Amino acid sequence: MGSKIYVGGLPYAATEQQLSDLFGQHGGVASARIITDKFTGQSRGFGFVEMASDAEAQAAITALNGSQMGGRTLTVNEARPQEPRSGGGGGRGGFGGGGGNKRDRW
């Protein structure tokens, strides 16, 4: 078990300080991060907390999973490693090019 914890169901107005304080009641918090939308900066309603030890992380998970914060029910469990992302993006086939039926008489 790692000491990195996933926290879902966060209120959109929650701050990283509030998240750190909440988990700090169950042990040492190394870091607390709320994930935000890269375009709007709005919270996406989840984040990650790193605890100082595995035992403290387990205690926090046990105590906080299913608890309430700002009227929302928290989902708290061990963070899984991020899945590798596929290439994606692909080409832009069929677009652009020009030619054909232009009317450049002016």
Side-chain angles (χ1 to χ4, degrees), residues 5-10 19 22-23 45-49 74-77:
I5 301 169
Y6 165 83
V7 186
L10 289 171
L19 188 60
L22 179 65
F23 278 80
F46 71 94
F48 297 93
V49 175
L74 298 180
T75 300
V76 182
N77 52 40

Side-chain angles (χ1 to χ4, degrees), residues 18 39 44-45 60 80 90:
Q18 290 171 324
F39 298 111
R44 294 188 59 199
R80 294 188 298 262

Side-chain angles (χ1 to χ4, degrees), residues 1-98:
M1 144 110 207
S3 61
K4 191 168 188 177
I5 301 169
Y6 165 83
V7 186
L10 289 171
Y12 295 109
T15 65
E16 291 179 350
Q17 185 61 51
Q18 290 171 324
L19 188 60
S20 181
D21 292 345
L22 179 65
F23 278 80
Q25 298 169 14
H26 304 283
V29 175
S31 68
R33 183 160 180 246
I34 293 177
I35 305 304
T36 57
D37 182 274
K38 67 180 178 179
F39 298 111
T40 65
Q42 170 82 20
S43 167
R44 294 188 59 199
F46 71 94
F48 297 93
V49 175
E50 278 190 83
M51 301 295 286
S53 74
D54 289 351
E56 291 172 338
Q58 188 58 53
I61 289 170
T62 302
L64 296 173
N65 189 36
S67 65
Q68 297 280 316
M69 180 179 184
R72 297 194 64 188
T73 302
L74 298 180
T75 300
V76 182
N77 52 40
E78 180 182 354
R80 294 188 298 262
Q82 185 173 3
E83 299 277 325
R85 296 183 182 192
S86 62
R92 296 188 63 178
F95 294 105

Side-chain angles (χ1 to χ4, degrees), residues 92-103:
R92 296 188 63 178
F95 294 105
N101 198 7
K102 283 190 176 180
R103 299 182 65 164

